Amino acid sequence: MRVLITGATGWIGSALIPDLVAAGHKVVGLARSDASAAALAAAGADAVRGGLDDTDVLAEAAAASDGVVHLAFKHDIAFTGDFRGALAADRRAVEAIGEALVGSDRPFVTTGGTPIVPGQVATEKDGHDVDPAADDGPQGRAANDERVLALADRGVRASVVRIPRTAHGEGDPGFVAALVRTAREKGVSGHIGGGSLRWPAVHRLDAARLFRLALEQAPAGSTLHAVGEEGVPLGEVAEVIGRRLDLPVVPVPAEDAGAHFGWLAGMLLFDQPASSAATRELTGWRPTGPGLIEDLGQGHYFRD
């Protein structure tokens, strides 16, 4: 297949490209800059110049492709306070791609996050009852995912791959790296809820492989969970961070979470395990990478 990837040089996209190329697919990546285009060429992919706001470019590139994987998101503005603006750009992008694929039966794979179901392990069936008009926060992101899934009724083999709280690995720019930075800055490795609150996790390379499987075989309307570990206790994460940095491990009261963890606090206040049992049965996906605690133990998160 000729596969268009948005976010092709990002954390998951840069792992997906070699996986797709090794499987015999031709990859075209959306590139906003000369540096991105050069990185794509080095990885064996072609580039189409443009960004998420260039909906005409997205539509034309999608129409010329045999399938699309949508990984890009405006994290730069989302993390500086304009999450609503990032969601609006994402909505326009998926609508442009979707319209280009209507009636083609070609795959369109987008990405979301595993949902939080209080008191339960979240499954692929959860998290779909969202307000279609939601335009902010997790509900807004889920509403965009549902827009993609709805294309299954219009002749698109649409699916969503939900990523757990951490897709970890060497070079990780995400939440685990932020926990390590916070520990360095505060002089302690903190945890909330007695350390029992859990994050689902997956190794980056395992997540990338599931995106390829979704592209190749996921039925229209599928929701898949890229969950390698159902729930890693955050107390164990804090213990490894404390040991590696030679810092005390301390409980942080929930009411002090914002002051201690900043923007990351919202990701740490809830028990949020998630299952991938249905995904594994449907696709045959089997994670093979190291678990989160093992990955932390390898030391790359703690290099200066």
Side-chain angles (χ1 to χ4, degrees), residues 6-198:
T6 72
T9 58
W11 180 235
I12 301 297
S14 58
L16 177 57
I17 290 174
D19 193 287
L20 287 170
V21 170
H25 301 295
K26 181 175 179 59
V27 178
V28 179
L30 190 67
R32 291 185 297 170
S33 66
D34 290 343
S36 292
L40 288 170
D46 293 334
V48 58
R49 294 301 296 265
L52 286 186
D53 293 325
D54 300 312
T55 53
D56 289 345
V57 172
L58 287 172
E60 183 177 352
S65 300
D66 299 312
V68 179
V69 180
H70 176 49
L71 297 170
F73 191 73
K74 289 190 170 186
H75 294 288
D76 51 349
I77 66 171
F79 285 132
T80 54
D82 190 15
F83 198 79
R84 182 176 278 111
L87 285 174
D90 186 61
R91 181 175 64 253
R92 292 189 295 269
V94 300
E95 287 173 347
I97 294 169
E99 287 299 324
L101 296 178
V102 164
S104 69
D105 292 321
R106 284 176 280 174
F108 179 13
V109 186
T110 191
T111 183
T114 53
I116 300 173
V117 184
Q120 297 182 37
V121 176
T123 74
E124 293 86 346
K125 293 181 179 179
D126 293 314
H128 295 287
D129 186 16
V130 298
D131 179 359
D135 64 355
D136 200 6
Q139 286 288 296
R141 191 74 188 266
N144 284 355
D145 294 342
E146 294 302 310
R147 287 184 174 90
V148 173
L149 291 177
L151 291 166
D153 294 328
R154 302 181 64 198
V156 181
R157 187 159 61 80
S159 63
V160 58
V161 175
R162 290 170 169 172
I163 302 295
R165 282 320 145 254
T166 175
H168 54 87
E170 187 164 3
D172 177 9
F175 296 151
V176 174
L179 285 174
V180 174
R181 286 195 302 272
T182 298
R184 290 186 191 274
E185 292 166 2
K186 299 293 183 179
V188 298
S189 181
H191 59 76
I192 303 170
S196 63
L197 302 180
R198 295 167 291 172

Side-chain angles (χ1 to χ4, degrees), residues 202-203 206 209 227-229 276 280 285-289:
V202 69
H203 193 274
D206 287 325
R209 189 167 67 257
V227 173
E229 295 177 281
S276 59
R280 298 182 192 213
W285 178 68
R286 296 291 184 273
T288 59

Side-chain angles (χ1 to χ4, degrees), residues 210 213-214 217-219 224 276-286:
L210 182 57
L213 292 174
Q217 63 180 259
L224 306 176
S276 59
T279 295
R280 298 182 192 213
E281 182 176 356
L282 179 67
T283 66
W285 178 68
R286 296 291 184 273

Side-chain angles (χ1 to χ4, degrees), residues 287-304:
T288 59
L292 176 55
I293 298 302
E294 180 184 351
D295 203 10
L296 277 167
Q298 293 178 1
H300 52 80
Y301 277 98
F302 307 99
R303 296 174 187 148
D304 292 335

